Amino acid sequence: MEEPAGRLVLKKKKDHERRSRARKMDKMLKSARPPAEEALQWGESFDQLLAHKYGVAVFRAFLQTEFSEENLDFWLCCEDFKQIKSQSKLVSHANKIFAEHISIQACKEVNLDSFTREQTRENLENVTVSCFDLAQSRICGLMERDSYPRFLRSDLYMELTNQMRPSSMSDLS
């Protein structure tokens, strides 16, 4: 059974966007690597990691290895959303974010409780820059409690901070 043409175009567009983001991230990861001391500061707080462009890129690379980058994607979409000034663009982006990340069976669905999901859906009836605040806060908390500690123990982070364990260093040769 063939896919409808519209769905195929949408799938190709999403694949292109995913490849484009991956290329940008690869370029950043190969560019100006921060000093180990700077990367060590990311271990002091999750907020410090999220405030650093390179830190976000490295954290995304880590999340991709766990197949869970949708949480960071959602968080970043919410941050971009808060910068929109035009009400019509705000409404359009709000609906897009909801469709991609919050609605049941969304392509990049994040793990939200039913109360938060419903509250966010209700917020779309009168869109403001804060309509995703609750959902964003819940996903941020989830990443901070779950993914962030694993990231800090990962070989990726250990290498950036020059804390690689001797047995791991020989594995890289």
Side-chain angles (χ1 to χ4, degrees), residues 26-98:
D26 285 346
K27 185 177 179 181
M28 175 178 283
L29 290 175
K30 290 175 184 170
S31 70
R33 179 180 171 153
E37 299 77 34
E38 196 172 327
L40 276 169
Q41 292 176 351
W42 306 339
E44 293 173 15
S45 80
F46 188 53
D47 289 337
Q48 284 190 11
L49 173 68
L50 292 178
H52 196 284
K53 198 172 186 175
Y54 194 95
V56 169
V58 173
F59 187 54
R60 178 189 297 278
F62 168 76
L63 291 174
Q64 286 176 334
T65 67
E66 296 197 329
F67 304 100
S68 64
E69 70 267 22
E70 70 279 351
N71 292 328
L72 183 60
D73 286 343
F74 172 69
W75 187 87
L76 290 168
C77 282
C78 291
E79 289 298 294
D80 291 343
F81 177 78
K82 292 174 187 176
Q83 305 307 311
I84 298 172
K85 301 293 182 219
S86 159
Q87 184 63 28
S88 62
K89 286 184 180 180
L90 211 58
V91 170
S92 169
H93 279 71
N95 289 319
K96 182 180 177 192
I97 291 170
F98 190 88

